Amino acid sequence: MRETDTLCAGTAGGRAERRRGVALILTLGLLFIVLVIAFGFAISMHIERGAATAHYQATWARQAIFQPMSIAQREIQHHAGIYPDWAARKPHGPFESNKGETQKIRDMVPLVTNYLPAAAGIRPVALTKLNDLYWYNLFHIGGAFREELLNQAGIWYDGNPVYVEDAVCATLLANCSGLLDIHVVGRTNRLHGTSPAEIQVTPLRDGGAVSATRNITYMESFPELRKRAGRDITNFFHYSHFPVGEYWSDKKGAIDGAAYVGGDPATWKNDSILASLDAAGIHDIAQQGIILTNMMDYVDADFEPRNLNAPSQEPVPGFNEISVKSSYTCERTSPTQCLYTLSLELHVELFSGYLEPSASAAYTILSPRYSLTPRVPNAGFANQNRNLNQAVNLRSPVITNIVVTPLFPPQTVTATFLDPMQWSNTCQSLVYDINFPNFRLAKGSDQVDRFASFAWTITNALPRLPALGETVTNANVWARTIECLDPRFNWDINNTAQWRGTSVRTPNSNNTWTVEYMANPANETDPDTQMYSANARFRTVGELAYIVYAPWQTIRICSQPGRTAYHSVLDTFTLYNTNVTKAVRGLINPNTEVSAVLDAAFYDMPIGPYPGATGERRITVDVSLLADAIQKHVYVSPGAYFRNVSDLGGVTNLFHDTNLLAQVGATNEFLRESILRNSAGLFNTRQQLYTIFLVSSYVPEFPDDFDPVSKGAPGAPGSVDSPGIAVDQDAVRVSERRAVIVFWRDAWTGDSFTRFFKWVDPSDFE
């Protein structure tokens, strides 16, 4: 029985032991499972933590790149001026790094090569600047600008050195302001500079890129341009932006609106035109009024001046010189009586200095009556009212030579009185008044010139009285001659500022007063007497140079030897209706350092006296002479950049160099002015365009032994002269990011925008 009890007890105990063993195994199994799960979770968390850290670092580096972008834009605003005097640069001042204590950035040559044109003044300089490109740390910048940057980054700053985990950055700027927009240029024949599409690319070694991309509607980036063109690009860019219809006023120190003179004169605003003339340097109110009237005559289609009592811009002749020729004959018919005969001829010289495209035109002098009133003797000589031979034909000069002066000799018209006048008396001298009221010149139904009143007192004297049966004659005597200073200013024959008497007749040549007046440097006259009026709307603003405002003075758009002053009408007037067009693409900044671009602006440009003139000379071989003269003006005297397009008129290297002008065929005033008249519409000084390379990298921490003074740049932390605390050579940079932007800036206002932004993988060009 004991054995049985013992056995039963042992059996129960064994089962208990076995239960405890199972529990242990289960516990260990569960623990193992938990450990496996925990280990997996730990590994997962480690991976997630790494991924989160990498994402954090990448996000930090990605966000940090906008700080050097701000720095680059600030650098441009502070160091660009009218036009940047640098082709490429890194930020200066507090953003310079100490290259002895910093680490150079990985090779950026492929990136710079792919995003910049190969122009001598751009890509090669940028590649050279890469040798000086080092990291800098945004949060260890010295000087007062530190607080500004930290505030921009959203970090509180109490004035103490800030050493926190952050990013290091680098920036390289390249000036692309002076390039051609491949989307616009080279699309049509070269005419008179009315559209940037006229800019010829034939002389450019990469000019074929235009034809290669002609059917491509749009290219956003420079690498795309290179790819589509299938070649390296030197002189072209993929974007441009030029505001129009405004100019920079030095008087106001601000932008002002140009007067619109395109289209129908009915749409012009007279007050705006007068203000623009004042801004251009013509301050006399009377002269401004003359110009306004003559501008309207220039563009209208008729030949009738708007105001016959004012200077005329119509391409018609004007009264220039008037003479009376007389013959006085006495025949003694009895001891107490003589038979006298007076014959008169009126000679009217018409001056037509206009370069008139029409071959000929018929003109008529209209003066229905003349009156002759005797003064001596008082008896036997009745008042005469006679008809003048009215029909007078004058052929306008045919333009065959535009070099010889005078270019267009005055045309002499002889109008004879129909009847000799006879009377009986004894008189050795005859004094009489002759008057022509409402003396007019007409072309068809248009009155083109007139005098309100034309009256002279003339004396004819015989050498002696004749004997009985004898005849004594004082024949073919020029009894009176008057000459006009400028036939466009001739409406008041009694005005001594317009007409004067002279003893010297100058038929078929410039009269003595004109010659004397133009020879006096103090009068600042045009160098010759040629004139032009289109009788059509303005094609270029440069045509304002044809408009007369004072005797032998037209608006000047360029300086001349001995006369440096000129009028800035190329800016104060515009043919762009700014209600429709605010900006255009494809123009050229004349400050460009790329000489080939300036060559393109002048290549195949016509040199002629007026738009469309027969025999216009085209500039091809000598085109570099003009570009070289402009660049010499800009770059030989540093800072002599053009603020307005009109400043081109002050390039004395060009407009005072008679040898150069002769080489390009600009041998007189009209031809010289055609250089600007036919090119100014292709220039605009407002665009500044930059390609900016940005690099940022996350720095997790600084080494324990980092000493910002000994290992940093000169100057204590936070000092104004410190160019920044350098990053230690051993600092670890991760998550590097690179970007390229195209940045546009207005040279006048500083307004700007980012046109293009692209993240670039560093491996893309390695």
Side-chain angles (χ1 to χ4, degrees):
M1 203 165 158
R2 287 182 179 175
E3 293 180 358
T4 304
D5 292 341
T6 301
L7 180 59
C8 293
T11 301
R15 289 197 295 271
E17 288 295 331
R18 287 195 295 271
R19 286 196 296 270
R20 285 195 293 270
V22 171
L24 177 61
I25 292 173
L26 291 175
T27 300
L28 291 175
L30 290 174
L31 181 59
F32 177 76
I33 293 173
V34 170
L35 288 175
V36 170
I37 294 174
F39 182 73
F41 181 76
I43 293 176
S44 176
M45 289 302 99
H46 178 75
I47 294 173
E48 290 295 329
R49 183 176 183 276
T53 300
H55 178 73
Y56 169 79
Q57 294 170 348
T59 301
W60 185 277
R62 193 177 181 91
Q63 294 300 317
I65 210 166
F66 293 101
Q67 284 295 336
M69 185 170 74
S70 297
I71 290 171
Q73 293 172 359
R74 180 181 186 270
E75 178 81 358
I76 290 171
Q77 295 289 9
H78 285 210
H79 297 280
I82 299 174
Y83 193 85
D85 59 359
W86 44 270
R89 70 184 291 161
K90 62 179 183 178
H92 288 182
F95 311 111
E96 284 187 301
S97 299
N98 182 344
K99 37 182 195 181
E101 297 295 337
T102 56
Q103 192 172 40
K104 193 172 180 180
I105 299 171
R106 283 191 298 155
D107 186 24
M108 290 183 62
V109 171
L111 179 62
V112 170
T113 300
N114 202 50
Y115 273 89
L116 288 181
I122 302 177
R123 185 194 293 173
V125 177
L127 291 174
T128 301
K129 291 294 181 181
L130 289 179
N131 297 325
D132 265 346
L133 193 63
Y134 295 85
W135 297 103
Y136 58 84
N137 188 286
L138 288 174
F139 298 113
H140 299 142
I141 292 172
F145 190 56
R146 175 196 296 195
E147 183 174 359
E148 179 183 339
L149 283 179
L150 293 176
N151 288 337
Q152 289 179 4
I155 298 176
W156 177 79
Y157 173 66
D158 61 0
N160 296 315
V162 180
Y163 305 118
V164 297
E165 57 181 10
D166 58 344
V168 290
C169 305
T171 305
L172 180 67
L173 296 76
N175 174 25
C176 299
S177 306
L179 298 168
L180 297 170
D181 188 339
I182 199 167
H183 290 103
V184 181
V185 301
R187 306 286 167 165
T188 187
N189 295 329
R190 183 66 160 88
L191 295 173
H192 301 98
T194 59
S195 166
E198 295 180 24
I199 297 173
Q200 299 298 293
V201 299
T202 302
L204 306 179
R205 65 182 183 182
D206 56 343
V210 172
S211 58
T213 60
R214 192 177 300 276
N215 296 325
I216 299 173
T217 57
Y218 193 74
M219 290 170 285
E220 179 64 28
S221 68
F222 192 78
E224 184 183 4
L225 189 159
R226 294 180 66 196
K227 181 178 180 181
R228 298 288 183 90
R231 68 194 74 191
D232 202 6
I233 299 298
T234 302
N235 303 293
F236 297 102
F237 206 63
H238 56 87
Y239 180 70
S240 64
H241 179 81
F242 293 90
V244 294
E246 297 174 318
Y247 66 96
W248 179 263
S249 170
D250 289 329
K251 181 179 180 180
K252 296 181 179 180
I255 288 178
D256 208 346
Y260 174 66
V261 291
D264 191 329
T267 65
W268 296 356
K269 297 180 179 179
N270 293 351
D271 290 345
S272 176
I273 290 175
L274 298 178
S276 288
L277 288 171
D278 184 72
I282 301 173
H283 307 301
D284 186 275
I285 296 176
Q287 291 179 348
Q288 292 174 9
I290 290 171
I291 291 174
L292 177 58
T293 300
N294 285 342
M295 286 171 60
M296 295 180 180
D297 277 337
Y298 183 92
V299 302
D300 64 24
D302 62 46
F303 289 84
E304 186 169 10
R306 290 174 181 263
N307 187 354
L308 289 172
N309 295 326
S312 170
Q313 190 74 33
E314 293 289 0
V316 294
F319 295 122
N320 182 65
E321 187 175 277
I322 300 176
S323 301
V324 170
K325 184 179 182 180
S326 65
S327 292
Y328 184 35
T329 301
C330 177
E331 178 186 0
R332 185 173 292 277
T333 56
S334 72
T336 59
Q337 194 173 44
C338 294
L339 177 63
Y340 296 90
T341 302
L342 175 65
S343 297
L344 298 176
E345 292 181 1
L346 181 68
H347 288 247
V348 180
E349 188 177 71
L350 304 177
F351 187 90
S352 179
Y354 283 95
L355 303 173
E356 197 172 7
S358 59
S360 63
Y363 295 88
T364 304
I365 293 178
L366 302 176
S367 184
R369 306 285 293 177
Y370 74 90
S371 63
L372 190 148
T373 304
R375 291 192 177 190
V376 178
N378 291 323
F381 180 23
N383 291 351
Q384 304 291 323
N385 253 325
R386 302 295 179 99
N387 291 321
L388 182 66
N389 183 9
Q390 297 178 24
V392 181
N393 291 324
L394 172 68
R395 183 181 62 82
S396 292
V398 177
I399 311 307
T400 58
N401 194 324
I402 59 173
V403 177
V404 179
T405 300
L407 301 174
F408 308 100
Q411 307 294 307
T412 301
V413 178
T414 301
T416 59
F417 298 93
L418 297 180
D419 304 313
M421 290 158 284
Q422 301 184 36
W423 63 97
S424 297
N425 205 335
T426 303
C427 179
Q428 186 172 345
S429 295
L430 175 65
V431 182
Y432 54 92
D433 294 335
I434 187 169
N435 179 56
F436 296 91
N438 197 20
F439 198 82
R440 294 162 292 157
L441 178 68
K443 177 181 180 180
S445 60
D446 293 338
Q447 293 189 46
V448 300
D449 203 1
R450 76 178 179 190
F451 304 131
S453 177
F454 172 25
W456 284 340
T457 298
I458 297 177
T459 299
N460 284 107
L462 296 171
R464 60 181 176 82
L465 289 173
L468 184 65
E470 182 185 15
T471 300
V472 176
T473 302
N474 185 0
N476 299 324
V477 175
W478 292 104
R480 180 77 184 271
T481 297
I482 59 172
E483 59 186 1
C484 179
L485 176 58
D486 184 334
R488 294 164 295 190
F489 293 76
N490 68 358
W491 63 92
D492 187 354
I493 204 167
N494 299 308
N495 186 337
T496 56
Q498 297 179 20
W499 291 87
R500 75 175 186 180
T502 180
S503 60
V504 180
R505 292 185 66 251
T506 55
N508 300 318
S509 64
N510 293 334
N511 63 50
T512 55
W513 195 8
T514 295
V515 173
E516 293 168 2
Y517 190 84
M518 296 181 72
N520 186 350
N523 294 324
E524 295 191 346
T525 64
D526 299 333
D528 50 51
T529 57
Q530 59 182 343
M531 302 175 277
Y532 175 73
S533 186
N535 272 13
R537 294 176 181 178
F538 289 110
R539 286 155 287 192
T540 69
V541 174
E543 289 182 61
L544 287 168
Y546 295 118
I547 305 299
V548 63
Y549 66 91
W552 300 116
Q553 286 185 301
T554 52
I555 293 174
R556 299 184 296 274
I557 59 175
C558 62
S559 63
Q560 300 172 5
R563 188 179 67 182
T564 58
Y566 59 95
H567 306 116
S568 57
V569 294
L570 296 178
D571 295 295
T572 61
F573 290 86
T574 183
L575 299 184
Y576 289 107
N577 183 347
T578 53
N579 292 325
V580 178
T581 305
K582 300 290 185 182
V584 298
R585 292 184 60 167
L587 300 177
I588 295 174
N589 192 322
N591 295 301
T592 179
E593 67 278 27
V594 185
S595 58
V597 170
L598 281 180
D599 287 347
F602 295 109
Y603 186 79
D604 204 31
M605 180 183 73
I607 296 289
Y610 58 88
T614 303
E616 285 182 319
R617 183 182 186 272
R618 295 281 178 162
I619 297 181
T620 52
V621 177
D622 302 324
V623 67
S624 61
L625 295 174
L626 303 179
D628 291 346
I630 292 173
Q631 291 203 310
K632 181 180 179 182
H633 175 88
V634 174
Y635 292 104
V636 171
S637 301
Y641 295 109
F642 305 114
R643 184 183 291 275
N644 287 310
V645 172
S646 290
D647 296 343
L648 287 164
V651 179
T652 55
N653 300 320
L654 171 56
F655 295 109
H656 292 201
D657 189 335
T658 54
N659 291 329
L660 185 156
L661 293 170
Q663 283 184 266
V664 299
T667 52
N668 63 32
E669 182 190 25
F670 275 8
L671 300 177
R672 181 169 53 250
E673 288 181 334
S674 71
I675 295 174
L676 280 184
R677 189 173 62 245
N678 295 333
S679 67
L682 305 179
F683 292 117
N684 185 300
T685 61
R686 295 183 69 172
Q687 170 178 276
Q688 291 182 5
L689 200 59
Y690 303 91
T691 298
I692 304 175
F693 300 93
L694 307 171
V695 189
S696 65
S697 182
Y698 178 77
V699 180
E701 61 182 6
F702 289 96
D704 294 337
D705 61 349
F706 178 70
D707 183 346
V709 176
S710 62
K711 292 185 179 295
S719 64
V720 174
D721 63 344
S722 172
I725 302 304
V727 178
D728 185 66
Q729 292 278 11
D730 299 324
V732 180
R733 291 179 305 279
V734 296
S735 301
E736 181 177 314
R737 291 293 181 268
R738 298 186 180 189
V740 179
I741 69 172
V742 173
F743 180 73
W744 184 92
R745 177 181 183 268
D746 189 330
W748 296 350
T749 66
D751 293 342
S752 60
F753 57 83
T754 298
R755 170 64 187 180
F756 170 81
F757 183 101
K758 180 176 177 59
W759 292 104
V760 182
D761 190 317
S763 64
D764 287 350
F765 306 104
E766 294 179 352

